[in-house]
Amino acid sequence: MEHSGGDLALIGATLRSNTGEASDATAILIRAGRIELVGTDAEIADAAAQFAIPTRDLGGATVTPGLFDSHTHPHWAASVTAGLDLGGLETIDELRAALAAEHARLPEDAWLRGWNLEYEAFEHTGLRGDLLADAAPGRPVALICYDLHTGLATAPALAAAGITGSRDFEDASEIVVDEAGVPTGELREPTAYNLVFDAAPQPSHDDARDGLRDMFRRLAAVGLTGGAIMDGKDATVDLLEELEERGELDHRLTVHHWHAVGDTDADVARVISEKDRAGRLWQTGAIKLFSDGVIDTGTAWLHEPDSCGDGRAAFWPSWERYGDVVRAYHDAGMLIATHAVGDFAVSRVLDVYAALPARDGLPFHSIEHLEVLSDGDVEQLRGSGVTASMQPLHMQWRSSDHSDTWAKRLGEDRSHTGYRVRDVLDAGARLVLGSDWPVAQYDPRVGMAWARGRHTPGDASANVFEPSQRLSGEEALLAYTLWPAQARGHADRGVIAIGAVGDLTVWGADPVATDADALPEVPIVLTVVDGRIVHEG
């Protein structure tokens, strides 16, 4: 069943339209989910009265195009964050205490799930499930690290998944074992750790659907009107279709289907055959692939080895296969996003993209993360047409004294090449920002604050990482609004203009003029999607 958009009139506003045109307009009229008129309060009030459209006086609040998270995992997050949040627990003793308290609370037959696990607690021991086992004796414990690239399981969880030793995977995933071949509990990359998480009890269909619905409502509460889902599966699309049918979808979404390294030509053909599946608020036709892992575990692909001698392997056993798969999706007219954290990974992906034939009228592809870049990589981006999708707020795990795992792996000199958003922009590349939720906070106000200040927002004493890479307030807003729309070829999004979709974020203060440190505290007055108010602060 097709649902029409909403009708809404907003007056008494300050508009940031992203059109580049000067205007004294203070009001917006939306009909059937589209902006029909932008003008003065009197003009919009008269038009609203003519069509009996409800009118809101915003009392001077600032309206921007709706905020869009260019890299997010809401479906995954709805499942992952149902467990125990382990963020900020930096010692084994702190982890054991938290797990023991959760163990005492849970029913006898339940698994203990945890997320946001940090590597630092295991700096001297390595990730080992036996260090935590007696905090929840006999109970399967399955934890996932904050970056979603490593899992940790205790012996009961490993047994439930049938894991008794190492295995060969088609990608860079690994079941880590000790000298005797016994699993330590560390599971690197999704193909490995999903063996455990898939063995855990799964939510019912209705619970999964309602959990995703509620997740979108959480995102709307911080001003987000949409996002790019980077771990799309058939089940994700089915749930979006069902939510929209029920009138319970409050987000505008692009779903990137997750291509696994082991997927066959038949799998590729099946995904391509479904590429036009779409609803009013969601679309498919996009792909997510990996080229490498992450720096903290030595699985990022680097120009030079890291301090532990790691970082010289791609995620794919055959890089030629990656190129073949990309070409197939490209020729089918799909939008491709490739995870590339390491500098060499970025360069190799750019090589593959550069060899693709031109496509008229279709947007070009993106690279996700680009955590470290050499000068040569930045130059390779210049003129490539590739969108750089980055997350400066991931710097929250860096330490000013370079004692964090990320900096230790890279070395002090190379750590200064991290998150080069200013250099990317200056090279003429399109930049979009996102959270990678649940890796980091989904709040775009926090994301913009990190991009602008490059330090912990609100902490005047916090170290500023590479201050020369800071963005302006306007650039940070554009990277959450107009630039993501342009990256996907949507001329009717990311702007406040006649004919544009009625997706708006209403702020208690101007997000561009507000100091970066104060930005996370700016109230979200309204979030509007398709002309409907989906959140009111």
Side-chain angles (χ1 to χ4, degrees), residues 202-397:
Q202 302 299 309
S204 68
H205 172 83
D206 287 356
D207 286 344
R209 181 198 64 223
D210 293 348
L212 185 57
R213 175 202 64 197
D214 294 345
M215 178 59 63
F216 290 138
R217 291 175 178 174
R218 288 174 62 185
L219 302 181
V222 295
L224 285 166
T225 62
I229 296 179
M230 286 292 168
D231 60 324
K233 306 174 185 65
D234 292 342
T236 310
V237 179
D238 290 342
L239 290 177
L240 294 180
E241 188 171 56
E242 184 175 352
L243 285 173
E244 188 163 67
E245 175 68 23
R246 293 165 61 93
E248 296 178 343
L249 183 59
D250 298 332
H251 230 51
R252 194 179 300 274
L253 299 152
T254 297
V255 181
H256 287 252
H257 186 94
W258 189 326
H259 178 99
V261 170
D263 285 354
T264 65
D265 289 344
D267 295 320
V268 172
R270 184 187 63 80
V271 171
I272 290 173
S273 72
E274 296 283 318
K275 69 182 180 66
D276 295 324
R277 192 175 175 191
R280 181 178 178 87
L281 292 180
W282 56 273
Q283 63 184 74
T284 55
I287 293 295
K288 162 70 176 304
L289 306 98
F290 284 82
S291 67
D292 69 347
V294 291
I295 289 164
D296 294 82
T297 61
T299 54
W301 201 10
L302 303 168
H303 283 297
E304 300 294 337
D306 65 20
S307 62
C308 299
D310 296 323
R312 294 299 296 139
F315 206 68
W316 295 67
S318 167
W319 188 243
E320 290 73 19
R321 172 63 179 169
Y322 167 81
D324 291 343
V325 169
V326 166
R327 176 64 187 267
Y329 288 129
H330 174 87
D331 288 349
M334 302 185 76
L335 183 66
I336 298 168
T338 301
H339 167 118
V341 164
D343 45 18
F344 193 56
V346 172
S347 180
R348 294 305 304 274
V349 172
L350 285 170
D351 288 341
V352 171
Y353 284 179
L356 297 171
R359 302 187 305 183
D360 292 337
L362 292 174
F364 201 53
H365 310 305
S366 71
I367 298 179
E368 307 295 312
H369 308 307
L370 307 93
E371 284 191 13
V372 287
L373 293 170
S374 70
D375 290 346
D377 304 325
V378 173
E379 284 305 307
Q380 197 175 354
L381 273 168
R382 189 184 302 274
S384 68
V386 172
T387 295
S389 174
M390 302 177 71
Q391 301 83 37
L393 79 163
H394 289 191
M395 291 187 291
Q396 65 187 279
W397 293 290

Side-chain angles (χ1 to χ4, degrees), residues 69 215 218-219 222 224 393 435 437 440-444 480:
D69 188 325
M215 178 59 63
R218 288 174 62 185
L219 302 181
V222 295
L224 285 166
L393 79 163
S435 65
W437 167 248
Q441 304 98 311
Y442 51 75
D443 193 330
Y480 267 100

Side-chain angles (χ1 to χ4, degrees), residues 14 16 62-64 67 445 448 452 472-474 476-477 505-516 519 522:
T14 300
R16 281 201 170 271
T62 298
V63 183
T64 69
L67 299 175
R445 296 169 296 182
M448 285 188 275
R452 292 172 56 183
S472 70
E474 184 174 19
L477 179 62
T505 304
V506 183
W507 306 69
D510 184 348
V512 172
T514 299
D515 183 85
L519 189 60
V522 174

Side-chain angles (χ1 to χ4, degrees), residues 142-168:
L143 314 178
I144 192 166
C145 291
Y146 71 87
D147 59 7
L148 304 185
H149 279 265
T150 306
L152 182 62
T154 58
L158 293 172
I163 296 175
T164 58
S166 63
R167 297 186 190 180
D168 292 328

